[in-house]
Amino acid sequence: MFRIQRCQCSEQAGWLPLRQALWPHASEQEHRDEIGQQLSEPQRYINFVAYDSREQPVGLAEASLRHDYVNGTDNSPVVFLEGIYVAPEQRRQSVAAQLIEFVARWGREQGCVQMASDTGLDNLVSQETHIALGFEETERVVFFKRQL
Ligand SMILES: CC(C)(COP(=O)(O)OP(=O)(O)OC[C@H]1O[C@@H](n2cnc3c(N)ncnc32)[C@H](O)[C@@H]1OP(=O)(O)O)[C@@H](O)C(=O)NCCC(=O)NCCS
């Protein structure tokens, strides 16, 4: 059994380390800044941590309300799954499934009728997970940049 809890303070157990595991290229300060930003706008951002039976944090989902156009959707706003991570030794126990259900419930409470997400073209496990949990693929895109 896993317990799911919304993050409501920057020191909530697991939030920072699980974020660091998911996005290892960001500095600790960048993570702390983003956590602060999210806590300052609770109507826009939602975050859940999953704890195991020993109260160890094992999974994280972060999501936001997006009012700008989100590829493949036809409603606004949509709840957008910004990131999801489960500790390797706790995978395939429906932790991600539970976290996403909590995000979906929050999105419905905000009036959304669609939830969107994205993942890397090479992240096949994430793609399998999305499909298994009710998402349908909409678009594949290539990002560009040019120096000015
Ligand atoms: C993607 C991730 C969050 C899935 O977490 P999880 O808790 O293991 O997922 P669940 O147990 O809820 O899996 C739900 C379903 O997704 C599918 N699935 C999950 N992992 C899978 C895998 N390795 N291979 C194939 N299908 C998989 C299965 O259908 C699974 O149901 P089942 O176990 O009953 O067969 C986890 O693998 C992870 O943290 N990966 C690294 C971070 C990442 O890539 N995040 C996504 C991009 S932001």
Side-chain angles (χ1 to χ4, degrees):
M1 276 302 292
F2 297 92
R3 183 175 70 80
I4 312 288
Q5 185 181 338
R6 183 176 185 172
C7 303
Q8 283 178 317
C9 84
S10 59
E11 300 307 318
Q12 179 158 335
W15 194 2
L16 177 62
L18 288 166
R19 255 187 153 259
Q20 289 173 315
L22 177 56
W23 294 300
H25 301 300
S27 68
E28 179 173 338
Q29 191 56 51
E30 286 169 328
H31 282 298
R32 290 195 181 281
D33 289 347
E34 288 179 14
I35 284 172
Q37 171 76 21
Q38 291 178 35
L39 290 171
S40 71
E41 291 186 76
Q43 300 85 0
R44 183 172 172 196
Y45 297 105
I46 187 82
N47 321 277
F48 292 106
V49 170
Y51 297 90
D52 68 11
S53 55
R54 293 172 302 124
E55 285 298 310
Q56 296 302 306
V58 298
L60 168 71
E62 293 194 358
S64 69
L65 273 194
R66 288 207 188 178
H67 291 267
D68 50 332
Y69 173 66
V70 174
N71 295 53
T73 65
D74 38 32
N75 280 271
S76 181
V78 297
V79 56
F80 195 90
L81 185 65
E82 304 286 354
I84 183 149
Y85 178 83
V86 176
E89 62 278 10
Q90 300 286 2
R91 289 178 188 168
R92 301 306 290 268
Q93 297 180 77
S94 300
V95 175
Q98 283 187 63
L99 287 166
I100 287 173
E101 278 316 304
F102 273 71
V103 170
R105 187 185 309 163
W106 179 80
R108 278 187 218 103
E109 288 167 4
Q110 310 312 307
C112 298
V113 295
Q114 288 183 330
M115 173 163 53
S117 182
D118 61 10
T119 197
L121 285 175
D122 57 349
N123 195 342
L124 300 181
V125 167
S126 175
Q127 291 173 34
E128 295 266 13
T129 303
H130 279 82
I131 296 296
L133 298 179
F135 290 84
E136 58 181 295
E137 182 177 324
T138 55
E139 294 181 13
R140 294 185 174 228
V141 298
V142 180
F143 287 90
F144 296 98
K145 73 172 177 183
R146 198 185 95 168
Q147 299 300 339
L148 299 177

